Amino acid sequence: MKNKISAASAVSIRLAVLLAAAGSVRAETGKPAADDAVVLGTVNVSGVAAPDDVIEVEDTPSTSIKDVFEKNVSVGVGGPTAFSQRVFVNGIEETNLNVQIDGARQANNLWHHNTNLLIDPNMLKSVGVDAGVAAADAGPGTLGGSLRYETRDVDDFLPAGRNFGAFLGGSFASNLSAFTESGAAYARGHGFEALGYASHIEGKDYDAGDGERVRGTGANQISALGKVAYTSEGGHRIEASGQHMVDDGIRPFRANFSSARGQAIYSENTFKRTTANLKYSTRMPGELYDPEIRFYYNDTSLSRPSPTGGFRPGYFNSAIESFGMTALNRFRTPLGELTAGIDYYNDRATTDNFRDAVFVETSTNLGGFAQLRSRPLDWVTLSTGLRIDSQELESVDRKRFENTGASPNVSLSLAVAPGLTLKGGYAYVFGGIPLSEAALFHTMPYSSYSDDLDPMRSTNAKVGLNYTIDGFWVEGEVFSTRIQNTPMYEEGPGVFKRINGPALKTEGFNLGAGYQIENAEFGAHYTQTEVEFDRSPLDTTAFYLGSPVGEIIKLHGAYAWPEAGVKVGMTSEIAMQYEYPRDSGFLDLAGYQTYNVFAQWQPSFYRGLTVRAEVNNLTNTDYVDRYTAGSSASFIVPLKNPGRSFLVSTRIEF
């Protein structure tokens, strides 16, 4: 098989990473591990996600959200297209995490064949990753951790002394024949700020590494973002923002498969997300006054109209609307910084299957939380907290479930020697009863919910270390997450009942090693992660649960010549073959290795101009990435990843 890695190669690669982890150490910067990497590639990130691990997204073009996580081995993205992509943290699917965009919680389990979250990576400033253990103020439902996406503000574009600006950008990707146009304008003055951004990408179906055209993958996406803010002389700040994204095109009937059971059907598929935010904060906090109050609205919809009209299985209009708020205050106390507050959300899922009824399900949650972050000794950092959540679910069959639970957490970091930090964390999480997948209602009136349905709960634990010296670094962690009472459905003649499912468990370890100086960096990251459901290996169609991972290596390197304005670099993902037990009924997952290279130039005569050239999938590997759905099932033809593609982009700032 073309993309299978030989046993000798696999052993050599594993030994290289493990030896690097044993012999390398990380550069001391005086900052926490989450913030200490130099931005040279597309993303600045510590290779092993830790509580409050922050990925800083550099101001360079990204073709998908997968680019944002290309250096983070804890995070995987499945699906080669925007309309099918899902994010996994340590193998746990993102619907089991608290996911936010600019503080707005996302609840997007519309249909298991489509993406959960449509997002434009080119306006991202950072992504906060809590892998497993999350703080109480990260929000409700952090069963497997949290993801917090933050978009750019006016201050991220304008340096001190400038009050207005704009940029125009464009790119062309050869394999997709895809053109992208983008632009933004931003200004500030007299306490006011305003930003507007829009982009559009349109392209044809791409070719896989074997030259085969992958139908239904053509790009057609629109993105818009607007922000306004006002800061008074007293430091009081009000911010409002709105985002709108649309992906519209002819897609496979099951958008994340090329075909299933020999059927290759294509239909119209329109996915939309609208998010609105209103936030109050202060830029002149006091010891006991540092508030943040946020209101948000989120509307995600999927439209799949029947080509002949009327009811047909698989065609529907579904939407999930969410309204929420968070109110908190940070107190500076002798023990440390205490964050305390409340949060609330109301989710409403609706599905119209073009029959005589619209199916509705709602979920509400009211939570209170407190999180203390302290440094009791110079070499000890402690974060501990508790949240209490009261959740109510009104199911589609009009049953009412009310549950209340507590979620404690603790994280500890010990600087035991110069450059050496030991860390660990534990969290027990109450997750409530999540909404059912909205599109489950499209084929039949939902039969019933089990009367004794229990809320989801999880336990998370992790232990790790970081060591740095003279530009070298090494880090590693061991982790475990176990989620109980997963959503499951009992099916039979005339029966379709929601019940509590078996436990979902992920455990493994992550390693990272590398070297960095002012204008150069190299990093290697390795994970060995096993994900089980009901004590058996997870397959690639375990929707809303997770994905098999196995052994994956991510490499990255870059070198910059600041005087010339030139930067070159590479990234690579190497996945070992994943073997299932012989009696599992699943197909083994083939190994693969891919390489991407880039060169970027910012001319000295005008640093506002950026020209970039990339070659993605340099070796034209024919493969399906590890997190893409369907590759373990014999009756499914999964979506292959794109073959070699040349990308040329330019951006000019005014």
Side-chain angles (χ1 to χ4, degrees), residues 294-319:
R294 182 190 301 275
F295 296 90
Y296 65 85
Y297 171 80
N298 195 68
D299 181 15
T300 304
S301 64
L302 176 62
S303 176
R304 295 173 48 79
S306 170
T308 59
F311 169 78
R312 290 184 66 191
Y315 298 98
F316 53 83
N317 288 332
S318 283

Side-chain angles (χ1 to χ4, degrees), residues 237-523:
R237 180 175 174 84
I238 296 177
E239 303 172 60
S241 66
Q243 301 177 57
H244 183 65
M245 291 200 66
V246 180
D247 183 276
D248 187 10
I250 301 300
R251 308 299 185 205
F253 183 75
R254 298 169 177 85
N256 56 347
F257 303 156
S258 285
S259 65
R261 296 182 174 87
Q263 292 183 323
I265 304 172
Y266 299 87
S267 61
E268 184 180 350
N269 191 101
T270 304
F271 192 99
K272 297 180 181 180
R273 177 180 65 82
T274 301
T275 300
N277 252 301
L278 180 65
K279 174 186 172 183
Y280 166 79
S281 60
T282 180
R283 292 198 167 175
M284 299 177 64
E287 292 293 316
L288 301 177
Y289 180 78
D290 187 5
E292 184 176 310
I293 302 171
R294 182 190 301 275
F295 296 90
Y296 65 85
Y297 171 80
N298 195 68
D299 181 15
T300 304
S301 64
L302 176 62
S303 176
R304 295 173 48 79
S306 170
T308 59
F311 169 78
R312 290 184 66 191
Y315 298 98
F316 53 83
N317 288 332
S318 283
I320 297 180
E321 290 183 283
S322 299
F323 170 80
M325 62 82 63
T326 301
L328 61 84
N329 191 66
R330 301 176 185 90
F331 303 88
R332 278 73 176 181
T333 74
L335 296 176
E337 182 180 272
L338 175 66
T339 302
I342 60 172
D343 50 36
Y344 169 84
Y345 71 75
N346 176 270
D347 297 338
R348 186 173 188 267
T350 59
T351 294
D352 180 2
N353 65 358
F354 312 125
R355 273 182 169 172
D356 56 356
V358 175
F359 302 99
V360 180
E361 186 165 282
T362 60
S363 174
T364 60
N365 189 93
L366 177 63
F369 56 86
Q371 187 77 21
L372 177 67
R373 296 173 174 89
S374 66
R375 196 165 190 171
L377 298 170
D378 288 343
W379 56 282
V380 177
T381 302
L382 173 68
S383 177
T384 185
L386 174 71
R387 64 175 296 124
I388 306 293
D389 289 289
S390 179
Q391 191 230 14
E392 179 182 294
L393 175 77
E394 184 175 341
S395 63
V396 70
D397 62 341
R398 295 300 173 260
K399 289 188 174 72
R400 192 179 298 271
F401 299 87
E402 298 179 354
N403 293 282
T404 299
S407 303
N409 73 86
V410 61
S411 295
L412 187 66
S413 179
L414 306 175
V416 297
L420 176 61
T421 301
L422 303 181
K423 58 184 182 179
Y426 173 83
Y428 176 81
V429 181
F430 167 83
I433 301 176
L435 292 172
S436 287
E437 175 190 334
L440 276 178
F441 313 145
H442 76 274
T443 57
M444 67 189 82
Y446 206 92
S447 295
S448 65
Y449 272 51
S450 172
D451 292 333
D452 59 353
L453 201 63
D454 292 322
M456 296 178 70
R457 303 178 189 273
S458 73
T459 54
N460 298 275
K462 62 198 306 182
V463 178
L465 62 83
N466 295 76
Y467 189 58
T468 65
I469 187 172
D470 297 334
F472 292 92
W473 56 267
V474 63
E475 57 189 5
E477 69 176 8
V478 179
F479 61 86
S480 176
T481 293
R482 187 173 189 269
I483 302 176
Q484 297 174 288
N485 301 326
T486 58
M488 194 172 181
Y489 303 92
E490 183 180 89
E491 298 183 61
V495 176
F496 195 75
K497 179 187 289 187
R498 180 168 172 179
I499 60 175
N500 288 125
L504 172 68
K505 183 178 181 180
T506 179
E507 60 184 12
F509 63 90
N510 301 322
L511 297 174
Y515 175 73
Q516 64 182 45
I517 54 177
E518 184 176 356
N519 63 328
E521 69 167 350
F522 168 78

Side-chain angles (χ1 to χ4, degrees), residues 8 73 95 97 112 361 455 621 645:
V73 79
T95 49
L97 285 68
H112 58 276
E361 186 165 282
T621 300
S645 184

Side-chain angles (χ1 to χ4, degrees), residues 589-632:
L589 309 181
Y592 59 87
Q593 45 191 322
T594 64
Y595 302 92
N596 311 309
V597 296
F598 74 88
Q600 183 171 298
W601 179 49
Q602 290 181 298
S604 57
F605 59 82
Y606 189 61
R607 293 296 190 187
L609 173 65
T610 302
V611 179
R612 184 179 174 97
E614 302 178 28
V615 184
N616 296 315
N617 193 358
L618 178 67
T619 55
N620 202 30
T621 300
D622 183 37
Y623 76 107
V624 176
D625 75 58
R626 182 53 44 89
Y627 296 94
T628 289
S631 51
S632 64

